Amino acid sequence: MTGRTARAEARAAVRGWLGVAAGFAALLLAVLGTVFAGDSAPTAVDVRVGTALDGTGEQWRDVARAVDFLGEPVGAAVLVAGTVAGCLLVRRPRAAVLVVAAVGAGVAVARLLKSVVGRTIHGPENLSFPSGHTAFLTAFAVAVALVATGRLGLGRAAGTALVVAAGLVAGGVMGWAQVVVGAHYPTDVVGGWCTAMAVVPVAARLVDRAADAGRGARG
């Protein structure tokens, strides 16, 4: 078995499990979106978590603001551009396309859902569900983990664990930051994480199919 074949099989195995996870994430996202449609009030869980984080010290608030910057246009552009440049430098164009596609799809779907759901925070002009910042960083981390899984040739269990762990850590860190800076309710953060987990596996599969089709056309 060649190295390329092994990596392809590793990708396929992980994609299969992530497809199942994507289905559950999409289902939870649909339920939450329905519950919060047109709402602006926090849930009991939101209040409890928000109260627990109210005592966050100023030093940690500075950390939260720094993390929040990664989801802002400038911060996100620098993060994605640097990663894409790195992929291209090591001649991994598929990886570069995957990162761009995953992040773009996650952010686009989050923005669309905000308009559809219509949940707000701090006034009617601030659409909050799902959290776009959380969707962005989760999608970015999952895409990078998928690239690493393929390059390392990890098996289904190890690869899936790496991808899910990356998504949980990135989503958790950004979600914490969003609640601390007061930009989102905790349940908005859950929605952002679900958005990324539902969308990225689909984007990854489409990128794989396009790349495989292009390779087949070249013979």
Side-chain angles (χ1 to χ4, degrees), residues 16-46:
W17 279 106
L18 288 181
V20 176
F24 282 109
L27 178 60
L28 179 57
L29 182 62
V31 171
L32 292 176
T34 301
V35 170
F36 298 138
D39 197 7
S40 61
T43 67
V45 172
D46 292 327

Side-chain angles (χ1 to χ4, degrees), residues 2 8-11 13 58 60 66 73 83 89 105 111 134 153 158 160 171 189-190 192:
T2 66
E9 290 186 356
R11 281 198 305 269
E58 190 58 32
W60 283 107
T83 303
L89 282 174
R111 287 182 177 177
T134 306
T160 303
V189 167
V190 174

Side-chain angles (χ1 to χ4, degrees), residues 124-195:
E125 71 282 359
N126 297 315
L127 296 173
S128 66
F129 184 93
S131 164
H133 281 58
T134 306
F136 162 75
L137 197 62
T138 303
F140 174 80
V142 169
V144 171
L146 282 171
V147 172
T149 296
R151 295 307 307 163
L152 296 173
L154 298 181
R156 179 171 60 185
T160 303
L162 174 62
V163 172
V164 173
L168 285 172
V169 171
V173 170
M174 181 58 83
W176 165 82
Q178 292 306 292
V179 176
V180 168
V181 302
H184 286 283
Y185 295 126
T187 43
D188 295 331
V189 167
V190 174
W193 186 83
C194 287
T195 300

